Amino acid sequence: MAATARFDVVAIGNAIVDVLARADDALIEAEGLTKGSMRLIDGAEAERLYAAMGPAIEMSGGSAANTLAGMAALGERCAFIGQVADDQLGAVFTHDLRALGVAYETPALKEGAPTARCLILVTPDGQRTMNTFLGASHLLDQAMIDEAWIADAEILYLEGYLWDPPLSRAAMRRAIDVARAAGRKVAFTLSDAFIIERHGPDFRALIAEGLFDILFANEVEIRALAETQDFEAAVARIAPQVPLLVVTRGSHGALAIQGGVRTEVPAEPIETVVDTTGAGDLFAAGFLSGLAEGRPIADCLTMGAVCAREIIAQVGPRAQTDLKAKVAARLG
């Protein structure tokens, strides 16, 4: 039995600054983009697209970092491992995360690529189309992994996006080994269907090895992982392979399957969807916070749904409302 941990969750993910701008469908079409998707771009494309965007808002982001920001707002103990450069955006990212109460000590890179940024085009329907320049974030080396932190966290939370670069993939594999050796749980979020297209065999092998205790996915991702277009067939295929499967379904709510027991909750009501950026990240924040507090799975799902609702009612992935108060009002 693992000893009492210093952290509820330590996450490893891309350290990214988001650049958000309103855009109409015509721009999405003109750029040849798939609305609602995420693609990787190089530095030159990042500069070109930035010039084509309208007025923008810059704020710290990154999937796993967003999740920890939400958890910290809910009162949980969190730490983040991710790579920034020694530049202005790197300083912004570091300040923002620490100011939220998340422990973050990964040394900034003095040379090489700049801090990562994600150019996000938000269309009138609230859909976000993400164009990510990974920059320094994909240079996370095993030497930057704080093994003491990982061994001292109840859950190690891994972001699928960071599986793409070979260097950071090796770092994450090492982190899994450290967490396992310390008797800690490992949670993994699939992040995006395009990551599964590139690394599906890897993910299926890790699941088959029993290395993930908790798996987060949305409808598109679970179908891609299971290699079927039938949602229920996909859930039936993956659920027996992980102790806890959590699947978000947008306006159709969310479900979790643990030990063969399926629990479902509806989406929380919302008048207007403003921006879906970070919805899955904040759902994970609510769910993991529920686990940290020892709540029933139904409450964990509801906490996730409440946090997701709050984030899609605003612009950007960092909550501008009191998440703790919103959850208390809903669940007590």
Side-chain angles (χ1 to χ4, degrees):
M1 188 71 163
T4 301
R6 174 185 175 189
F7 299 110
D8 296 305
V9 172
V10 167
I12 302 177
N14 282 320
I16 297 177
V17 175
D18 290 338
V19 182
L20 298 101
R22 292 289 179 186
D24 55 24
D25 290 336
L27 178 60
I28 302 295
E29 185 175 345
E31 291 290 337
L33 305 176
T34 301
K35 186 162 71 169
S37 67
M38 195 284 275
R39 65 168 182 150
L40 296 178
I41 58 177
D42 59 21
E45 173 65 2
E47 290 185 10
R48 189 200 65 75
L49 185 58
Y50 182 71
M53 295 170 67
I57 299 171
E58 294 183 355
M59 59 183 67
S60 298
S63 178
N66 290 338
T67 294
L68 294 190
M71 292 191 70
L74 290 168
E76 317 309 338
R77 303 162 301 152
C78 307
F80 180 73
I81 298 171
Q83 190 66 65
V84 297
D86 187 13
D87 56 19
Q88 183 177 355
L89 288 183
V92 168
F93 180 90
T94 300
H95 170 270
D96 288 353
L97 205 55
R98 289 176 176 171
L100 292 168
V102 177
Y104 177 53
E105 296 179 4
T106 309
L109 288 182
K110 300 296 184 182
E111 300 177 346
T115 296
R117 70 285 316 267
C118 183
L119 308 181
I120 304 175
L121 301 173
V122 183
T123 42
D125 59 0
Q127 284 293 313
R128 80 286 183 272
T129 303
M130 300 185 293
N131 305 270
T132 304
F133 170 52
L134 288 172
S137 70
H138 77 282
L139 300 178
L140 182 68
D141 188 88
Q142 287 190 52
M144 298 297 185
I145 298 297
D146 192 320
E147 297 188 4
W149 274 11
I150 292 169
D152 212 5
E154 294 287 357
I155 295 174
L156 169 66
Y157 181 71
L158 302 174
E159 175 187 323
Y161 284 131
L162 200 57
W163 199 262
D164 207 50
L167 195 65
S168 56
R169 189 186 318 149
M172 292 173 83
R173 283 303 303 257
R174 174 59 187 160
I176 292 172
D177 292 342
V178 172
R180 284 281 165 210
R184 304 305 187 181
K185 292 182 178 180
V186 178
F188 191 84
T189 177
L190 290 169
S191 294
D192 197 285
F194 101 90
I195 294 290
I196 301 168
E197 290 173 9
R198 293 163 68 100
H199 301 291
D202 264 7
F203 296 161
R204 295 181 194 104
L206 290 166
I207 291 169
E209 290 177 48
L211 297 183
F212 297 152
D213 299 284
I214 307 167
L215 182 67
F216 288 91
N218 63 25
E219 286 187 276
V220 175
E221 293 157 4
I222 197 70
R223 290 198 301 260
L225 183 66
E227 299 179 291
T228 175
Q229 288 304 304
D230 185 304
F231 173 73
E232 289 298 337
V235 170
R237 186 171 300 172
I238 302 301
Q241 300 182 59
V242 290
L244 176 54
L245 173 66
V246 184
V247 185
T248 57
R249 307 190 67 189
S251 61
H252 297 294
L255 65 88
I257 299 179
Q258 183 178 46
V261 177
R262 177 166 172 156
T263 306
E264 297 189 58
V265 300
E268 292 291 303
I270 181 172
E271 289 186 8
T272 304
V273 175
V274 175
D275 173 18
T276 57
T277 305
D281 305 336
L282 269 291
F283 179 90
F287 188 91
L288 290 170
S289 293
L291 287 184
E293 295 168 13
R295 294 177 181 255
I297 291 297
D299 284 1
C300 295
L301 288 167
T302 298
M303 287 178 68
V306 168
C307 292
R309 178 196 66 198
E310 292 303 304
I311 219 66
I312 64 178
Q314 63 169 59
V315 173
R318 300 287 172 90
Q320 298 162 23
T321 58
D322 187 340
L323 293 181
K324 195 166 187 178
K326 297 291 183 179
V327 167
R330 179 68 173 79
L331 291 176

